[in-house]
Amino acid sequence: MPPGADAPASPWSDVERIAVGRSAGGDIVVIGLDHGSEVARRPLTAAEFPAWVAQREHEAGPRGVRWVWPSTAAWYPRLLDAGVRVTKAHDLRLCHAILRDAVPAATALVAATAWDAPDAEEGSSPGALFDLDPGPAAHRDDLDGVLAEIARQDDAAARAVDPARMRLLLAAESAGSLVAAEMRAAGVPWSAERHARILEETLGRRRGDGTPERMAELAAEVRVRLGDPSLAIDSPARLLAALRRAGIRVTSTSRWELRDVDHPAIAPLLAYKKLARLLTANGWAWLDEWVHDGRFRPLYLPGGVVTGRWATSGGGALQLPRRLREALRADDGWRIVSADVAQLEPRVLAAMARDTRMADAARGRDLYEGIVATGAVAHRSEAKVAMLGAMYGATTGDAGRLVPRLRRAFPAAMAAVDGAAATGEAGGVVSTWLGRTSPGVDPGWAAAARSAGASAEAERRVRAARRDRGRFTRNFIVQGTAAEWALAWLADLRLRLAALPPTEGPAAAASGPAFARRAHIAYFLHDEVIVHAPADRADEAAQAIRDASASAGRLLFGSFPLDFRLDLAIRDDAAK
DNA sequence: GGAAACGGCGCG
DNA sequence: AAAGCGCGCCGTTTCC
């Protein structure tokens, strides 16, 4: 069944496409791609480009324009810096990667190697003195190359297993690239003062040597209680040796193993590790490096994870400790509107597997409570551990014991993940709902499989590798489809927010010219979004988040009767 | 002396 | 020492 066979037309389809590249002389060149386009091939200087884009968007009206460019990361920031946003894009680099893997028949894509290179690092900007080789990322800008790649991708999308779904995926991935660039431009509103206060409350003041007081005290305590005055507590190997000398039988120094040990050194050690983690990951050095003018500006990498999830580069934006979220504060006269999806992955699994029993369990309530209500398990915590176990491939422990109950209660959903695992174990490729494919097996796989009988050890390794891969493909279809839902959510949300009128209240100057007066997405973490909204637009922004989640569900899964519930809050930081 | 691997832990 | 997926980043250790 096509996605949303009975769903509204994609909000991302049927718009004017304009290709963007560079001439041999280095000028920016734009050219309309549609039959009879009014946009003839036209050179523009870098100075002219933003205004021309803005004018074209204006003329196109609410549907906007789809800008087909080599990479959003390379082209969009300069528009945003000029205060210009675009409606839609097609990111050739990101879409190349998807199509290359998902449509093996499109052999022309496999050969087009310049499109496989990552975007140039921000630091090594083009034009850096002595930089003789501009790198593959720059070669991609050549307009003739751009047009050739567009032709290859159009052809490949048409040959996809399901062209409609694939085009949706390409549009969603590209929309994600716009959101990523916009979030970087606007930044996460971050109070360095709050952050520093949390650090000092938790770690203590910094001593002369830079070590925080509280950490130094805890380290000293550990040394005393282990009877090892010179212990290098930050070295796992030495710490392990010291623990064993003290008669503590552990095989590693990780928290989950130390947790159960009864010894006076353990409590201060665990406390120390907790503080050390905060200091090294998000301490004063992080604050100095990453927060400026009240904003944290991470570099997001859409499609950076095999499943289609985003990654980040630098700053660890996707690993911010929960307790530091207190430092995420709205500007004066603005609000933080935050929303996260309740049980996104199980819901996505229910929808993609067309499991109406699981959808019934999920509708209008906490999905885990719904599972309890079916009688499959007795408690919410069991439902959760069983569900996670089903999606991750647990075989032992509580999860392994509970998964069979889910298999009986929700055969359709479980058949989907079990089938994906079986395909993976056999060396096959699986795909998400919209058609992103899992990586194939590496060349060593077949050779290893042949050697399976060679020895008991080889046999064991091959079996383990098969099971590992099965767990990966099992999870891939769920995590990857959840990432697609989230992209659809973001894509729809950014257009809804862009349609809200600008505030008449105070501007958020640090969010840059494109967003200083408008509600904008400030943070995204797999199944959670934070919007920075002017106070007079906060309610509308919250509604936009809800509406976008409903749209995303319809876009991917049509009328399949399942809701995606949100936990949503509008926070007034001034009131706290 | 720098790159890569490792142990550990933060997030979903 | 992980049973059970996907990441990034830190400090230490090891390798070249």
Side-chain angles (χ1 to χ4, degrees), chain A residues 280-340:
Chain A
T280 57
N282 298 99
W284 291 278
W286 183 91
L287 205 41
D288 285 345
E289 184 175 356
W290 290 101
V291 179
H292 299 105
D293 304 321
R295 292 293 186 273
F296 166 39
R297 297 177 199 277
L299 180 61
Y300 298 92
L301 303 175
V305 176
V306 279
T307 57
R309 275 187 175 181
W310 290 12
T312 56
S313 174
L318 304 184
Q319 293 101 279
L320 289 175
R322 278 261 158 207
R323 53 167 319 195
L324 271 188
R325 303 274 181 96
E326 245 184 84
L328 198 164
R329 315 271 303 172
D331 284 12
D332 287 342
W334 287 58
R335 300 286 183 272
I336 293 298
V337 188
S338 62
D340 64 86

Side-chain angles (χ1 to χ4, degrees), chain A residues 11-12 172 175-176 179 337-342 344 481-497 521 523-531 541-556 564-568:
Chain A
W12 310 322
V179 173
V337 188
S338 62
D340 64 86
V341 191
L344 175 59
T481 303
E484 287 165 353
W485 184 93
L487 282 176
W489 185 34
L490 284 180
D492 197 78
L493 175 59
R494 74 176 279 278
L495 292 180
R496 288 178 194 272
L497 293 179
I521 302 172
Y523 189 62
F524 166 62
L525 184 53
H526 308 316
D527 62 356
E528 142 182 20
V529 69
I530 291 177
V531 169
Q543 192 56 43
I545 294 173
R546 290 190 197 95
D547 292 343
S549 89
S551 291
R554 280 195 303 274
L555 188 65
L556 263 70
F564 288 83
R565 306 191 70 211
L566 299 179
D567 288 322
L568 190 147

